Amino acid sequence: REPAGACSAMLRLFAALLLAAASRRERQESVKTGETELEVVGTSVGGKLLRDDALTRIWELTLQPGESGGVHRHEFDYHFVVTQPSTLRVSDANGTFLFDFEAKGTFGFRLVGDSLVPIEGELPWNFPATHSAQNVGESAFSEFIFENKASTNAVWPRPPGGPLKRALRHAQNLLKRLAGNQEEL
């Protein structure tokens, strides 16, 4: 298990990377086409796939009240950062109710077989990797999902300098490249 501070630092760095990439891409699109929306790379776990590289996938998901994200399967360890909190209902692949929870803050899960094991946040129990989430709250729900390809199936605890350090270094390099390319816009 990663120290809580390291996970939080990684999430903050990934969030900064995502926001910088989104801002840069919006500026590029507005220069090329006059539009400011992000190009949708694909859909699945999180609605809009914003980035997919060797180490991470970054998704954006928004659910209006009553809306469901549909049944999906997580294939990687992941964290999600809630940007608009609401109450979510989680059901298994057959639609059987599992639990409701107040989705706010940051949550993290480790994929172990067919289960997601909480490693950060206020969910003290495991649940199936294949499930659905529905917004049963009164306000819109929005989150960014950070799938960590490097940590999935890794031996825990990991030695220093392992996949987390490489992922962090990779994110730092991407931020530097984004900062350097901003002058071109």
Side-chain angles (χ1 to χ4, degrees):
R1 184 171 179 178
E2 291 294 328
C7 286
S8 295
M10 185 174 91
L11 284 174
R12 283 193 301 276
L13 181 59
F14 279 134
L17 170 64
L18 176 65
L19 294 174
S23 175
R24 178 172 178 258
R25 183 176 231 152
E26 285 177 352
R27 286 193 307 273
Q28 284 178 329
E29 290 300 313
S30 66
V31 169
K32 292 178 186 173
T33 65
E35 298 174 8
T36 59
E37 267 192 54
L38 285 173
E39 172 187 342
V40 177
V41 178
T43 61
S44 186
V45 169
K48 292 182 186 177
L49 179 60
L50 301 176
R51 179 166 191 83
D52 189 357
D53 62 31
L55 298 173
T56 60
R57 279 190 191 148
I58 302 173
W59 301 86
E60 178 182 30
L61 175 66
T62 299
L63 297 174
Q64 297 303 318
E67 186 177 9
S68 173
V71 176
H72 59 277
R73 176 170 172 72
H74 291 274
E75 296 179 351
F76 299 104
D77 298 346
Y78 73 100
H79 280 77
F80 68 86
V81 178
V82 177
T83 56
Q84 289 180 275
S86 193
T87 303
L88 297 184
R89 172 163 294 151
V90 178
S91 300
D92 69 14
N94 299 318
T96 304
F97 169 83
L98 297 174
F99 58 89
D100 288 347
F101 74 106
E102 187 62 30
K104 60 183 178 182
T106 301
F107 293 84
F109 303 94
R110 173 130 168 82
L111 181 63
V112 178
D114 289 330
S115 294
L116 293 169
V117 178
I119 57 175
E120 185 171 350
E122 297 181 17
L123 294 179
W125 55 86
N126 301 353
F127 61 99
T130 303
H131 61 270
S132 66
Q134 178 183 14
N135 181 355
V136 294
E138 296 180 8
S139 60
F141 169 78
S142 186
E143 70 180 351
F144 288 106
I145 302 165
F146 303 89
E147 292 182 299
N148 188 339
K149 296 176 183 181
S151 72
T152 302
N153 298 317
V155 176
W156 292 68
R158 293 175 291 176
L164 177 61
K165 192 167 189 174
R166 283 194 302 274
L168 191 56
R169 193 169 42 246
H170 177 68
Q172 289 169 331
N173 288 336
L174 288 171
L175 280 173
K176 287 177 188 175
R177 277 192 282 166
L178 285 171
N181 289 334
Q182 286 179 352
E183 296 171 6
E184 297 172 11
L185 302 175

